[in-house]
Amino acid sequence: MILKTKSLQNTQTPQAIAGQKQEQDVAFYLRRAFKDHPEVLVINDFRFTFNDETAQIDHLIIYAYGFVLIESKSIKGHVEVNQQGEWTRSHGSKWFGMPSPIKQVELQQALLKEMLKQHRSEILGKLLGIRQQSFGMRCWDHVCAVSSDAVINRDTMPTAISELLVKTEFLVDKLEKIMNLKSKFMRIINVSDTRPDFNQQELNSIANFLIDRHIDPHKLATEITLAQTQQINEPVAHFEVIKAVEVKTQPITQSATHSILSCKHCGESTNYTPMYGKFGYYIKCNQCTKNTPMKQACPQCQSTQTKITKAKEAYTLHCNDCDNLYRVI
């Protein structure tokens, strides 16, 4: 299941264009292999900040047993790695040193793992209602996917690095080997596989947490530029716009919230759990265990042109036609 596609950038240099194409190629193979797989969740171009550090993961896979991070690298020509783990690549008849993409993705993985660990109580429930689950015993893997037309000299390359380096066309085969997914029936009868697994609700909770923390640098830069322009050119109007937004986003009463959002199957309006899935935000009813989309028609104008947004623990319904906002949770 693809949770986020690759964010295209207005690149100018040949190196940036080649790099973006490589990420698109990897995203294509991931989409073709896992778009309909409910237990393999893919986030392309994931950016997040934690402990005053920012990381950008080219491709992140969340699956039943853990996580796989994929670093995309556009390499034309030859690539070699010596016994000290130092990378070189050829361009024409010349050779150049390059940063290790394996070290890069290892740093990203460490930061992601630390962030999930700190927020584990928000994301995962307690085992048998007693012991808090965590992310430490899960499977954590990473690979580097290079251009399919690269020439890889594996003869002199350390085996450990060679195992993590794969051409894009063979990426899915590598991932399937790493994940070693089994059917739910086989997980029950195969006692030799001791890997702890996430259930579907936990997978959705992890995905919801990560998507909510994704940073879009282009959107953020646009918003900052627009705000600065308005402050310089129209300071009074800018103040009025902000004030109007603040009035609209005031929390509404609990009774009004329940009239907007309730289980469409049994009518339950309080006992449910907010979730995130393939089709966006929804609630899982704790009474009948069925799902209901959070996206509803606007209570004011009945328009279906609405959108759900999430800020921390608050879910808001925004009507694009009448521009009204409603707190649904």
PDB file of all heavy atoms in Angstrom, residues 2 21-35 42 44 59 61 70 145-148 167-173 175-176:
ATOM      1  N   ILE A   2       0.661   2.145  -0.933  1.00  0.00           N
ATOM      2  CA  ILE A   2       1.468   3.349  -1.054  1.00  0.00           C
ATOM      3  C   ILE A   2       0.802   4.462  -0.240  1.00  0.00           C
ATOM      4  O   ILE A   2      -0.295   4.912  -0.568  1.00  0.00           O
ATOM      5  CB  ILE A   2       1.625   3.786  -2.516  1.00  0.00           C
ATOM      6  CG1 ILE A   2       2.091   2.607  -3.388  1.00  0.00           C
ATOM      7  CG2 ILE A   2       2.603   4.959  -2.617  1.00  0.00           C
ATOM      8  CD1 ILE A   2       3.406   2.001  -2.963  1.00  0.00           C
ATOM      9  N   LYS A  21      15.157  11.110 -10.949  1.00  0.00           N
ATOM     10  CA  LYS A  21      14.681  10.021 -11.804  1.00  0.00           C
ATOM     11  C   LYS A  21      14.912   8.666 -11.147  1.00  0.00           C
ATOM     12  O   LYS A  21      14.061   7.773 -11.226  1.00  0.00           O
ATOM     13  CB  LYS A  21      15.380  10.055 -13.158  1.00  0.00           C
ATOM     14  CG  LYS A  21      14.870   8.968 -14.118  1.00  0.00           C
ATOM     15  CD  LYS A  21      15.592   8.984 -15.433  1.00  0.00           C
ATOM     16  CE  LYS A  21      14.993   7.928 -16.377  1.00  0.00           C
ATOM     17  NZ  LYS A  21      15.013   6.558 -15.799  1.00  0.00           N
ATOM     18  N   GLN A  22      16.064   8.511 -10.476  1.00  0.00           N
ATOM     19  CA  GLN A  22      16.344   7.261  -9.792  1.00  0.00           C
ATOM     20  C   GLN A  22      15.324   7.006  -8.685  1.00  0.00           C
ATOM     21  O   GLN A  22      14.825   5.883  -8.526  1.00  0.00           O
ATOM     22  CB  GLN A  22      17.769   7.281  -9.220  1.00  0.00           C
ATOM     23  CG  GLN A  22      18.097   6.158  -8.266  1.00  0.00           C
ATOM     24  CD  GLN A  22      18.057   4.772  -8.906  1.00  0.00           C
ATOM     25  OE1 GLN A  22      17.907   4.645 -10.117  1.00  0.00           O
ATOM     26  NE2 GLN A  22      18.169   3.742  -8.086  1.00  0.00           N
ATOM     27  N   GLU A  23      14.977   8.042  -7.921  1.00  0.00           N
ATOM     28  CA  GLU A  23      13.967   7.878  -6.870  1.00  0.00           C
ATOM     29  C   GLU A  23      12.610   7.532  -7.474  1.00  0.00           C
ATOM     30  O   GLU A  23      11.858   6.730  -6.904  1.00  0.00           O
ATOM     31  CB  GLU A  23      13.872   9.156  -6.036  1.00  0.00           C
ATOM     32  CG  GLU A  23      15.097   9.399  -5.160  1.00  0.00           C
ATOM     33  CD  GLU A  23      14.901  10.571  -4.214  1.00  0.00           C
ATOM     34  OE1 GLU A  23      13.778  10.754  -3.713  1.00  0.00           O
ATOM     35  OE2 GLU A  23      15.871  11.309  -3.970  1.00  0.00           O
ATOM     36  N   GLN A  24      12.289   8.132  -8.620  1.00  0.00           N
ATOM     37  CA  GLN A  24      11.024   7.805  -9.295  1.00  0.00           C
ATOM     38  C   GLN A  24      11.018   6.363  -9.774  1.00  0.00           C
ATOM     39  O   GLN A  24       9.984   5.686  -9.709  1.00  0.00           O
ATOM     40  CB  GLN A  24      10.802   8.764 -10.467  1.00  0.00           C
ATOM     41  CG  GLN A  24      10.437  10.181 -10.057  1.00  0.00           C
ATOM     42  CD  GLN A  24      10.237  11.083 -11.263  1.00  0.00           C
ATOM     43  OE1 GLN A  24      11.194  11.470 -11.935  1.00  0.00           O
ATOM     44  NE2 GLN A  24       9.003  11.408 -11.546  1.00  0.00           N
ATOM     45  N   ASP A  25      12.170   5.898 -10.273  1.00  0.00           N
ATOM     46  CA  ASP A  25      12.254   4.512 -10.739  1.00  0.00           C
ATOM     47  C   ASP A  25      12.026   3.538  -9.588  1.00  0.00           C
ATOM     48  O   ASP A  25      11.295   2.553  -9.716  1.00  0.00           O
ATOM     49  CB  ASP A  25      13.626   4.250 -11.375  1.00  0.00           C
ATOM     50  CG  ASP A  25      13.790   4.959 -12.716  1.00  0.00           C
ATOM     51  OD1 ASP A  25      12.773   5.393 -13.285  1.00  0.00           O
ATOM     52  OD2 ASP A  25      14.944   5.084 -13.183  1.00  0.00           O
ATOM     53  N   VAL A  26      12.654   3.810  -8.446  1.00  0.00           N
ATOM     54  CA  VAL A  26      12.465   2.951  -7.278  1.00  0.00           C
ATOM     55  C   VAL A  26      11.009   2.984  -6.832  1.00  0.00           C
ATOM     56  O   VAL A  26      10.409   1.942  -6.533  1.00  0.00           O
ATOM     57  CB  VAL A  26      13.400   3.386  -6.132  1.00  0.00           C
ATOM     58  CG1 VAL A  26      13.056   2.628  -4.846  1.00  0.00           C
ATOM     59  CG2 VAL A  26      14.856   3.139  -6.505  1.00  0.00           C
ATOM     60  N   ALA A  27      10.423   4.186  -6.793  1.00  0.00           N
ATOM     61  CA  ALA A  27       9.018   4.319  -6.381  1.00  0.00           C
ATOM     62  C   ALA A  27       8.096   3.534  -7.318  1.00  0.00           C
ATOM     63  O   ALA A  27       7.096   2.954  -6.875  1.00  0.00           O
ATOM     64  CB  ALA A  27       8.624   5.791  -6.357  1.00  0.00           C
ATOM     65  N   PHE A  28       8.440   3.506  -8.601  1.00  0.00           N
ATOM     66  CA  PHE A  28       7.636   2.752  -9.580  1.00  0.00           C
ATOM     67  C   PHE A  28       7.638   1.265  -9.251  1.00  0.00           C
ATOM     68  O   PHE A  28       6.584   0.607  -9.231  1.00  0.00           O
ATOM     69  CB  PHE A  28       8.183   2.983 -10.985  1.00  0.00           C
ATOM     70  CG  PHE A  28       7.644   2.016 -12.011  1.00  0.00           C
ATOM     71  CD1 PHE A  28       6.362   2.172 -12.524  1.00  0.00           C
ATOM     72  CD2 PHE A  28       8.413   0.944 -12.449  1.00  0.00           C
ATOM     73  CE1 PHE A  28       5.857   1.274 -13.463  1.00  0.00           C
ATOM     74  CE2 PHE A  28       7.920   0.049 -13.372  1.00  0.00           C
ATOM     75  CZ  PHE A  28       6.643   0.209 -13.893  1.00  0.00           C
ATOM     76  N   TYR A  29       8.816   0.704  -8.991  1.00  0.00           N
ATOM     77  CA  TYR A  29       8.904  -0.724  -8.675  1.00  0.00           C
ATOM     78  C   TYR A  29       8.183  -1.042  -7.366  1.00  0.00           C
ATOM     79  O   TYR A  29       7.532  -2.093  -7.245  1.00  0.00           O
ATOM     80  CB  TYR A  29      10.370  -1.147  -8.590  1.00  0.00           C
ATOM     81  CG  TYR A  29      11.012  -1.392  -9.946  1.00  0.00           C
ATOM     82  CD1 TYR A  29      11.825  -0.434 -10.527  1.00  0.00           C
ATOM     83  CD2 TYR A  29      10.805  -2.589 -10.629  1.00  0.00           C
ATOM     84  CE1 TYR A  29      12.418  -0.647 -11.772  1.00  0.00           C
ATOM     85  CE2 TYR A  29      11.388  -2.821 -11.868  1.00  0.00           C
ATOM     86  CZ  TYR A  29      12.194  -1.851 -12.433  1.00  0.00           C
ATOM     87  OH  TYR A  29      12.771  -2.068 -13.669  1.00  0.00           O
ATOM     88  N   LEU A  30       8.295  -0.153  -6.390  1.00  0.00           N
ATOM     89  CA  LEU A  30       7.610  -0.373  -5.111  1.00  0.00           C
ATOM     90  C   LEU A  30       6.097  -0.331  -5.295  1.00  0.00           C
ATOM     91  O   LEU A  30       5.360  -1.123  -4.702  1.00  0.00           O
ATOM     92  CB  LEU A  30       8.051   0.672  -4.092  1.00  0.00           C
ATOM     93  CG  LEU A  30       9.523   0.635  -3.667  1.00  0.00           C
ATOM     94  CD1 LEU A  30       9.817   1.775  -2.696  1.00  0.00           C
ATOM     95  CD2 LEU A  30       9.874  -0.707  -3.037  1.00  0.00           C
ATOM     96  N   ARG A  31       5.632   0.610  -6.103  1.00  0.00           N
ATOM     97  CA  ARG A  31       4.191   0.713  -6.345  1.00  0.00           C
ATOM     98  C   ARG A  31       3.668  -0.519  -7.070  1.00  0.00           C
ATOM     99  O   ARG A  31       2.612  -1.064  -6.713  1.00  0.00           O
ATOM    100  CB  ARG A  31       3.894   1.976  -7.166  1.00  0.00           C
ATOM    101  CG  ARG A  31       2.397   2.188  -7.438  1.00  0.00           C
ATOM    102  CD  ARG A  31       2.130   3.502  -8.123  1.00  0.00           C
ATOM    103  NE  ARG A  31       2.687   3.539  -9.473  1.00  0.00           N
ATOM    104  CZ  ARG A  31       3.748   4.244  -9.831  1.00  0.00           C
ATOM    105  NH1 ARG A  31       4.400   4.970  -8.940  1.00  0.00           N
ATOM    106  NH2 ARG A  31       4.181   4.236 -11.073  1.00  0.00           N
ATOM    107  N   ARG A  32       4.389  -0.955  -8.058  1.00  0.00           N
ATOM    108  CA  ARG A  32       3.933  -2.113  -8.825  1.00  0.00           C
ATOM    109  C   ARG A  32       3.887  -3.381  -7.969  1.00  0.00           C
ATOM    110  O   ARG A  32       3.008  -4.238  -8.145  1.00  0.00           O
ATOM    111  CB  ARG A  32       4.852  -2.341 -10.033  1.00  0.00           C
ATOM    112  CG  ARG A  32       4.308  -3.365 -11.017  1.00  0.00           C
ATOM    113  CD  ARG A  32       5.083  -3.365 -12.304  1.00  0.00           C
ATOM    114  NE  ARG A  32       6.454  -3.843 -12.124  1.00  0.00           N
ATOM    115  CZ  ARG A  32       7.309  -4.025 -13.124  1.00  0.00           C
ATOM    116  NH1 ARG A  32       6.948  -3.700 -14.359  1.00  0.00           N
ATOM    117  NH2 ARG A  32       8.531  -4.464 -12.893  1.00  0.00           N
ATOM    118  N   ALA A  33       4.809  -3.498  -7.018  1.00  0.00           N
ATOM    119  CA  ALA A  33       4.883  -4.713  -6.203  1.00  0.00           C
ATOM    120  C   ALA A  33       3.943  -4.689  -5.002  1.00  0.00           C
ATOM    121  O   ALA A  33       3.393  -5.734  -4.629  1.00  0.00           O
ATOM    122  CB  ALA A  33       6.324  -4.920  -5.731  1.00  0.00           C
ATOM    123  N   PHE A  34       3.752  -3.504  -4.391  1.00  0.00           N
ATOM    124  CA  PHE A  34       3.090  -3.478  -3.079  1.00  0.00           C
ATOM    125  C   PHE A  34       1.858  -2.586  -2.995  1.00  0.00           C
ATOM    126  O   PHE A  34       1.327  -2.407  -1.890  1.00  0.00           O
ATOM    127  CB  PHE A  34       4.103  -3.030  -2.008  1.00  0.00           C
ATOM    128  CG  PHE A  34       5.346  -3.873  -1.955  1.00  0.00           C
ATOM    129  CD1 PHE A  34       6.599  -3.301  -2.176  1.00  0.00           C
ATOM    130  CD2 PHE A  34       5.269  -5.230  -1.698  1.00  0.00           C
ATOM    131  CE1 PHE A  34       7.751  -4.070  -2.129  1.00  0.00           C
ATOM    132  CE2 PHE A  34       6.417  -6.015  -1.651  1.00  0.00           C
ATOM    133  CZ  PHE A  34       7.664  -5.438  -1.868  1.00  0.00           C
ATOM    134  N   LYS A  35       1.385  -2.041  -4.087  1.00  0.00           N
ATOM    135  CA  LYS A  35       0.268  -1.097  -4.007  1.00  0.00           C
ATOM    136  C   LYS A  35      -1.003  -1.726  -3.441  1.00  0.00           C
ATOM    137  O   LYS A  35      -1.840  -1.025  -2.859  1.00  0.00           O
ATOM    138  CB  LYS A  35      -0.017  -0.496  -5.385  1.00  0.00           C
ATOM    139  CG  LYS A  35      -0.519  -1.490  -6.418  1.00  0.00           C
ATOM    140  CD  LYS A  35      -0.845  -0.808  -7.746  1.00  0.00           C
ATOM    141  CE  LYS A  35      -1.368  -1.813  -8.770  1.00  0.00           C
ATOM    142  NZ  LYS A  35      -1.712  -1.131 -10.049  1.00  0.00           N
ATOM    143  N   VAL A  42       4.228   1.768   2.176  1.00  0.00           N
ATOM    144  CA  VAL A  42       5.372   2.460   1.573  1.00  0.00           C
ATOM    145  C   VAL A  42       5.195   3.972   1.689  1.00  0.00           C
ATOM    146  O   VAL A  42       4.154   4.510   1.307  1.00  0.00           O
ATOM    147  CB  VAL A  42       5.536   2.073   0.087  1.00  0.00           C
ATOM    148  CG1 VAL A  42       6.738   2.807  -0.530  1.00  0.00           C
ATOM    149  CG2 VAL A  42       5.700   0.567  -0.057  1.00  0.00           C
ATOM    150  N   ASN A  44       7.234   7.217   0.349  1.00  0.00           N
ATOM    151  CA  ASN A  44       8.317   7.744  -0.472  1.00  0.00           C
ATOM    152  C   ASN A  44       8.660   9.171  -0.041  1.00  0.00           C
ATOM    153  O   ASN A  44       7.771   9.961   0.251  1.00  0.00           O
ATOM    154  CB  ASN A  44       7.924   7.738  -1.954  1.00  0.00           C
ATOM    155  CG  ASN A  44       7.708   6.338  -2.498  1.00  0.00           C
ATOM    156  OD1 ASN A  44       8.644   5.548  -2.598  1.00  0.00           O
ATOM    157  ND2 ASN A  44       6.470   6.024  -2.843  1.00  0.00           N
ATOM    158  N   HIS A  59      12.954   6.160   0.671  1.00  0.00           N
ATOM    159  CA  HIS A  59      11.813   5.235   0.641  1.00  0.00           C
ATOM    160  C   HIS A  59      11.801   4.455   1.959  1.00  0.00           C
ATOM    161  O   HIS A  59      12.819   3.886   2.348  1.00  0.00           O
ATOM    162  CB  HIS A  59      11.911   4.258  -0.539  1.00  0.00           C
ATOM    163  CG  HIS A  59      12.298   4.902  -1.828  1.00  0.00           C
ATOM    164  ND1 HIS A  59      11.381   5.495  -2.662  1.00  0.00           N
ATOM    165  CD2 HIS A  59      13.515   5.090  -2.396  1.00  0.00           C
ATOM    166  CE1 HIS A  59      12.020   5.999  -3.706  1.00  0.00           C
ATOM    167  NE2 HIS A  59      13.313   5.775  -3.557  1.00  0.00           N
ATOM    168  N   ILE A  61       9.723   1.464   4.120  1.00  0.00           N
ATOM    169  CA  ILE A  61       8.735   0.380   4.112  1.00  0.00           C
ATOM    170  C   ILE A  61       8.435  -0.042   5.553  1.00  0.00           C
ATOM    171  O   ILE A  61       9.344  -0.298   6.338  1.00  0.00           O
ATOM    172  CB  ILE A  61       9.243  -0.834   3.305  1.00  0.00           C
ATOM    173  CG1 ILE A  61       9.342  -0.470   1.819  1.00  0.00           C
ATOM    174  CG2 ILE A  61       8.324  -2.037   3.494  1.00  0.00           C
ATOM    175  CD1 ILE A  61       9.841  -1.607   0.952  1.00  0.00           C
ATOM    176  N   ILE A  70      15.295   2.481   2.289  1.00  0.00           N
ATOM    177  CA  ILE A  70      15.947   2.361   0.989  1.00  0.00           C
ATOM    178  C   ILE A  70      16.540   3.708   0.598  1.00  0.00           C
ATOM    179  O   ILE A  70      15.833   4.719   0.555  1.00  0.00           O
ATOM    180  CB  ILE A  70      14.950   1.917  -0.104  1.00  0.00           C
ATOM    181  CG1 ILE A  70      14.266   0.605   0.303  1.00  0.00           C
ATOM    182  CG2 ILE A  70      15.665   1.756  -1.450  1.00  0.00           C
ATOM    183  CD1 ILE A  70      13.096   0.238  -0.586  1.00  0.00           C
ATOM    184  N   ALA A 145      19.709   1.249  -3.321  1.00  0.00           N
ATOM    185  CA  ALA A 145      19.306   0.897  -4.680  1.00  0.00           C
ATOM    186  C   ALA A 145      19.991   1.845  -5.662  1.00  0.00           C
ATOM    187  O   ALA A 145      19.766   3.052  -5.618  1.00  0.00           O
ATOM    188  CB  ALA A 145      17.790   0.982  -4.830  1.00  0.00           C
ATOM    189  N   VAL A 146      20.838   1.285  -6.540  1.00  0.00           N
ATOM    190  CA  VAL A 146      21.561   2.103  -7.507  1.00  0.00           C
ATOM    191  C   VAL A 146      20.966   1.903  -8.896  1.00  0.00           C
ATOM    192  O   VAL A 146      20.211   0.964  -9.142  1.00  0.00           O
ATOM    193  CB  VAL A 146      23.067   1.760  -7.519  1.00  0.00           C
ATOM    194  CG1 VAL A 146      23.688   2.017  -6.161  1.00  0.00           C
ATOM    195  CG2 VAL A 146      23.285   0.310  -7.939  1.00  0.00           C
ATOM    196  N   SER A 147      21.318   2.793  -9.796  1.00  0.00           N
ATOM    197  CA  SER A 147      20.808   2.748 -11.164  1.00  0.00           C
ATOM    198  C   SER A 147      21.077   1.385 -11.794  1.00  0.00           C
ATOM    199  O   SER A 147      22.131   0.778 -11.576  1.00  0.00           O
ATOM    200  CB  SER A 147      21.463   3.840 -12.007  1.00  0.00           C
ATOM    201  OG  SER A 147      21.408   5.091 -11.359  1.00  0.00           O
ATOM    202  N   SER A 148      20.122   0.920 -12.581  1.00  0.00           N
ATOM    203  CA  SER A 148      20.249  -0.410 -13.184  1.00  0.00           C
ATOM    204  C   SER A 148      21.382  -0.495 -14.195  1.00  0.00           C
ATOM    205  O   SER A 148      21.864  -1.593 -14.503  1.00  0.00           O
ATOM    206  CB  SER A 148      18.920  -0.806 -13.849  1.00  0.00           C
ATOM    207  OG  SER A 148      17.913  -0.999 -12.871  1.00  0.00           O
ATOM    208  N   LYS A 167      20.785  -3.378  -7.566  1.00  0.00           N
ATOM    209  CA  LYS A 167      20.299  -2.600  -8.695  1.00  0.00           C
ATOM    210  C   LYS A 167      18.775  -2.492  -8.624  1.00  0.00           C
ATOM    211  O   LYS A 167      18.098  -3.396  -8.123  1.00  0.00           O
ATOM    212  CB  LYS A 167      20.727  -3.244 -10.013  1.00  0.00           C
ATOM    213  CG  LYS A 167      22.216  -3.105 -10.311  1.00  0.00           C
ATOM    214  CD  LYS A 167      22.537  -3.514 -11.737  1.00  0.00           C
ATOM    215  CE  LYS A 167      23.985  -3.250 -12.072  1.00  0.00           C
ATOM    216  NZ  LYS A 167      24.291  -3.546 -13.483  1.00  0.00           N
ATOM    217  N   THR A 168      18.250  -1.393  -9.133  1.00  0.00           N
ATOM    218  CA  THR A 168      16.820  -1.091  -8.995  1.00  0.00           C
ATOM    219  C   THR A 168      15.935  -2.222  -9.516  1.00  0.00           C
ATOM    220  O   THR A 168      14.919  -2.554  -8.907  1.00  0.00           O
ATOM    221  CB  THR A 168      16.483   0.218  -9.728  1.00  0.00           C
ATOM    222  OG1 THR A 168      17.334   1.252  -9.235  1.00  0.00           O
ATOM    223  CG2 THR A 168      15.040   0.613  -9.512  1.00  0.00           C
ATOM    224  N   GLU A 169      16.312  -2.821 -10.627  1.00  0.00           N
ATOM    225  CA  GLU A 169      15.468  -3.857 -11.228  1.00  0.00           C
ATOM    226  C   GLU A 169      15.355  -5.111 -10.356  1.00  0.00           C
ATOM    227  O   GLU A 169      14.413  -5.892 -10.501  1.00  0.00           O
ATOM    228  CB  GLU A 169      16.020  -4.224 -12.604  1.00  0.00           C
ATOM    229  CG  GLU A 169      17.448  -4.750 -12.568  1.00  0.00           C
ATOM    230  CD  GLU A 169      18.035  -4.892 -13.964  1.00  0.00           C
ATOM    231  OE1 GLU A 169      17.312  -5.392 -14.844  1.00  0.00           O
ATOM    232  OE2 GLU A 169      19.204  -4.516 -14.161  1.00  0.00           O
ATOM    233  N   PHE A 170      16.317  -5.300  -9.435  1.00  0.00           N
ATOM    234  CA  PHE A 170      16.277  -6.468  -8.553  1.00  0.00           C
ATOM    235  C   PHE A 170      15.838  -6.096  -7.137  1.00  0.00           C
ATOM    236  O   PHE A 170      15.897  -6.933  -6.225  1.00  0.00           O
ATOM    237  CB  PHE A 170      17.660  -7.118  -8.490  1.00  0.00           C
ATOM    238  CG  PHE A 170      18.169  -7.574  -9.835  1.00  0.00           C
ATOM    239  CD1 PHE A 170      19.257  -6.946 -10.422  1.00  0.00           C
ATOM    240  CD2 PHE A 170      17.561  -8.616 -10.512  1.00  0.00           C
ATOM    241  CE1 PHE A 170      19.733  -7.354 -11.664  1.00  0.00           C
ATOM    242  CE2 PHE A 170      18.021  -9.034 -11.750  1.00  0.00           C
ATOM    243  CZ  PHE A 170      19.114  -8.395 -12.329  1.00  0.00           C
ATOM    244  N   LEU A 171      15.408  -4.859  -6.940  1.00  0.00           N
ATOM    245  CA  LEU A 171      15.076  -4.379  -5.592  1.00  0.00           C
ATOM    246  C   LEU A 171      13.939  -5.166  -4.954  1.00  0.00           C
ATOM    247  O   LEU A 171      14.021  -5.554  -3.780  1.00  0.00           O
ATOM    248  CB  LEU A 171      14.720  -2.887  -5.645  1.00  0.00           C
ATOM    249  CG  LEU A 171      14.251  -2.267  -4.326  1.00  0.00           C
ATOM    250  CD1 LEU A 171      15.343  -2.365  -3.260  1.00  0.00           C
ATOM    251  CD2 LEU A 171      13.825  -0.817  -4.531  1.00  0.00           C
ATOM    252  N   VAL A 172      12.868  -5.402  -5.684  1.00  0.00           N
ATOM    253  CA  VAL A 172      11.713  -6.094  -5.110  1.00  0.00           C
ATOM    254  C   VAL A 172      12.080  -7.508  -4.668  1.00  0.00           C
ATOM    255  O   VAL A 172      11.657  -7.972  -3.603  1.00  0.00           O
ATOM    256  CB  VAL A 172      10.540  -6.102  -6.109  1.00  0.00           C
ATOM    257  CG1 VAL A 172       9.413  -7.004  -5.605  1.00  0.00           C
ATOM    258  CG2 VAL A 172      10.015  -4.689  -6.338  1.00  0.00           C
ATOM    259  N   ASP A 173      12.897  -8.200  -5.473  1.00  0.00           N
ATOM    260  CA  ASP A 173      13.352  -9.537  -5.083  1.00  0.00           C
ATOM    261  C   ASP A 173      14.116  -9.480  -3.767  1.00  0.00           C
ATOM    262  O   ASP A 173      13.956 -10.341  -2.893  1.00  0.00           O
ATOM    263  CB  ASP A 173      14.244 -10.125  -6.182  1.00  0.00           C
ATOM    264  CG  ASP A 173      13.490 -10.369  -7.475  1.00  0.00           C
ATOM    265  OD1 ASP A 173      12.265 -10.573  -7.410  1.00  0.00           O
ATOM    266  OD2 ASP A 173      14.124 -10.352  -8.540  1.00  0.00           O
ATOM    267  N   LEU A 175      13.842  -7.167  -1.420  1.00  0.00           N
ATOM    268  CA  LEU A 175      12.921  -6.818  -0.338  1.00  0.00           C
ATOM    269  C   LEU A 175      12.098  -8.023   0.114  1.00  0.00           C
ATOM    270  O   LEU A 175      11.879  -8.229   1.307  1.00  0.00           O
ATOM    271  CB  LEU A 175      11.999  -5.686  -0.778  1.00  0.00           C
ATOM    272  CG  LEU A 175      12.660  -4.319  -0.990  1.00  0.00           C
ATOM    273  CD1 LEU A 175      11.661  -3.342  -1.585  1.00  0.00           C
ATOM    274  CD2 LEU A 175      13.226  -3.777   0.317  1.00  0.00           C
ATOM    275  N   GLU A 176      11.632  -8.804  -0.834  1.00  0.00           N
ATOM    276  CA  GLU A 176      10.842  -9.980  -0.481  1.00  0.00           C
ATOM    277  C   GLU A 176      11.668 -10.981   0.326  1.00  0.00           C
ATOM    278  O   GLU A 176      11.164 -11.646   1.241  1.00  0.00           O
ATOM    279  CB  GLU A 176      10.283 -10.626  -1.748  1.00  0.00           C
ATOM    280  CG  GLU A 176       9.196  -9.780  -2.406  1.00  0.00           C
ATOM    281  CD  GLU A 176       8.673 -10.387  -3.686  1.00  0.00           C
ATOM    282  OE1 GLU A 176       9.361 -11.292  -4.235  1.00  0.00           O
ATOM    283  OE2 GLU A 176       7.597  -9.977  -4.160  1.00  0.00           O
TER     284      GLU A 176
END
